[in-house]
Amino acid sequence: MRELFLVEADSDELGWQERALCAQTDPEAFFPEKGGSTREAKKVCQTCEVRVECLEAALGNDERFGIWGGLSERERRKLKKRAV
């Protein structure tokens, strides 16, 4: 199972993760099998107060797996391409 926390980041930068709703739910939902539903994870992200910080961390660390900031891997790739 993949860990949701960034190990190499400074502890001050990780403060948002302590407030993340995903830390209080089943982590498996955020890393579904290929072709599996992302609905449950995205529903949690919709109401999370640190969604923006989570997405920024995923983009900054080039996370290639899982739901981060309410976006799937494919959605993050599209977002990055549009930003270029």
Side-chain angles (χ1 to χ4, degrees):
M1 174 173 56
R2 191 155 161 88
E3 184 66 40
L4 289 177
F5 297 101
L6 305 172
V7 177
E8 59 276 344
D10 185 292
S11 62
D12 290 338
E13 294 175 14
L14 296 180
W16 64 268
Q17 290 184 342
E18 292 175 0
R19 300 186 321 272
L21 291 178
C22 61
Q24 303 167 28
T25 60
D26 179 13
E28 293 294 318
F30 294 88
F31 296 94
E33 296 289 325
K34 187 172 182 170
S37 177
T38 61
R39 188 177 320 137
E40 182 183 337
K42 288 181 176 185
K43 186 176 179 181
V44 171
C45 292
Q46 285 177 350
T47 59
C48 185
E49 69 178 68
V50 295
R51 180 178 178 180
V52 172
E53 292 91 334
C54 179
L55 180 57
E56 287 174 351
L59 294 171
N61 290 294
D62 198 28
E63 288 292 340
R64 295 177 188 240
F65 302 99
I67 305 300
W68 291 80
L71 299 181
S72 68
E73 308 94 280
R74 181 179 294 158
E75 292 164 332
R76 289 193 305 276
R77 275 196 309 271
K78 287 180 184 179
L79 183 64
K80 282 183 112 170
K81 284 181 183 179
R82 282 187 277 169
V84 173

